[in-house]
Amino acid sequence: MKTTSPAERDIQAVKATGRDTRTEILRRSIRVNVPLRKTFVQATRTAASRHGPLSEFVTGRDLRGLKAYLMIVAACSNGTDGWSTRRDSAVWARMMDINLTAEAQGARTGAWRTLRRLQERNLVTCTRSGTDITVTLLREDGTGAPYERPLGKTPEDLYLQIPTTFWTKGYDEQVDLPALALLLVVLREKNWSKFPSDKAKDWYGWSADTHERGLKKLLELGLVERRQEFKKAPLSPTGFTMSYQYQRTAQMRPRKPRKQAAEQPTGSTGKTSGINESKKSAAAAARQGR
């Protein structure tokens, strides 16, 4: 039986996990919410088809690719490096959790193949230099156009926001493909919207069964909540109709950016400290004169 040396156990104890890697990427991106154009989920009303690039991940059963793409958006969309991010292929593999099911070289290869699929869908470009892989964002609609930060001024430029807690709290590890797709659908819409499964094929490009399974999983995970809506229907047997409305729960609502301190803390500079001391001296002099 193979034994593990104390040194090997020490290494395993401190070795970064996939979640550690994703959390560090998010920390470096200096974001609390990740912007994603709504056209990734669903095209605008004027388009010939309402299906967005998301439908290809769902019908292609590419959960790994979808998770990787969302993390790339998170890593690149702050624009600090020209909408690009460069990492060793082993880091890409760990970010995607491929290292959990493959040996080192196989994990590196799996990461590259995943990124190449994203490139084939015109969502990114990727290049290799030695073991490093550089990935550059393209526009989320799959047209291959250069990426620009969404500002929300036109229908094509509207965006949803994914709170970084989706990754840091491990929800990304719990969702399956239907749930992740439906989470993006729910985040795309206003609170308490309807998501009828009979419209799923036309609106999003996947089956009614996938649609229903996704919503069910989100309810189980507590990422959305549901309520009933009743409407009068004089010609129905019951005299009314009932439908469900959904909204994101608190943990999936956009976070407010961390506020920068308006002023430096007292005592952080000689000026602030000196002003406070002057005020104290004036108050003491006033008390003595009473």
Side-chain angles (χ1 to χ4, degrees), residues 15-22 94 97:
K15 194 172 183 179
T17 65
R19 190 188 297 188
D20 292 332
T21 303
R22 293 186 289 273
R94 188 166 61 249
D97 288 327

Side-chain angles (χ1 to χ4, degrees), residues 192-196 226-229 242-246:
W192 298 124
S193 293
K194 298 177 184 177
F195 302 99
R226 182 177 70 182
R227 72 181 184 186
Q228 295 175 323
E229 182 190 45
M242 188 278 289
S243 60
Y244 288 117
Q245 297 175 322
Y246 297 83

Side-chain angles (χ1 to χ4, degrees), residues 248-264:
R248 72 209 74 185
T249 50
Q251 53 265 45
M252 285 298 103
R253 292 171 190 159
R255 298 294 191 265
K256 293 182 180 179
R258 300 180 183 89
K259 293 183 179 179
Q260 297 291 333
E263 297 179 349
Q264 289 181 314

Side-chain angles (χ1 to χ4, degrees), residues 144-198:
Y147 182 85
E148 294 178 347
R149 181 180 286 109
L151 300 177
K153 294 183 177 180
T154 65
E156 295 80 9
D157 208 38
L158 296 175
Y159 61 94
L160 59 89
Q161 297 187 81
I162 310 170
T164 55
T165 49
F166 173 69
W167 292 278
T168 59
K169 292 189 176 181
Y171 293 117
D172 64 309
E173 301 166 22
Q174 301 176 55
V175 292
D176 56 14
L177 184 55
L180 182 51
L182 266 294
L183 177 63
L184 296 176
V185 168
V186 172
L187 294 180
R188 186 185 187 280
E189 305 298 338
K190 296 178 180 179
N191 284 336
W192 298 124
S193 293
K194 298 177 184 177
F195 302 99
S197 59
D198 61 335

Side-chain angles (χ1 to χ4, degrees), residues 205-218:
W206 51 74
S207 68
D209 178 66
T210 295
H211 201 78
E212 291 171 358
R213 286 190 290 117
L215 288 171
K216 181 181 178 182
K217 183 69 173 180
L218 292 178

Side-chain angles (χ1 to χ4, degrees), residues 40-87:
F40 176 73
V41 179
Q42 186 181 46
T44 59
R45 294 180 183 275
T46 58
S49 169
R50 298 303 306 277
H51 304 172
L54 176 60
S55 66
E56 296 183 27
F57 290 91
V58 177
T59 57
R61 300 181 180 181
D62 190 6
L63 177 59
R64 176 183 292 170
L66 179 55
K67 287 183 175 181
Y69 175 65
L70 296 178
M71 273 303 304
I72 291 168
V73 176
C76 299
S77 60
N78 63 356
T80 57
D81 192 21
W83 317 120
S84 299
T85 186
R86 180 179 179 177
R87 303 286 175 218

Side-chain angles (χ1 to χ4, degrees), residues 26-38:
L26 292 166
R27 187 190 69 78
R28 288 172 177 266
S29 72
I30 320 175
R31 286 193 172 280
V32 293
N33 303 296
V34 176
L36 180 72
R37 278 183 175 81
K38 294 184 176 183

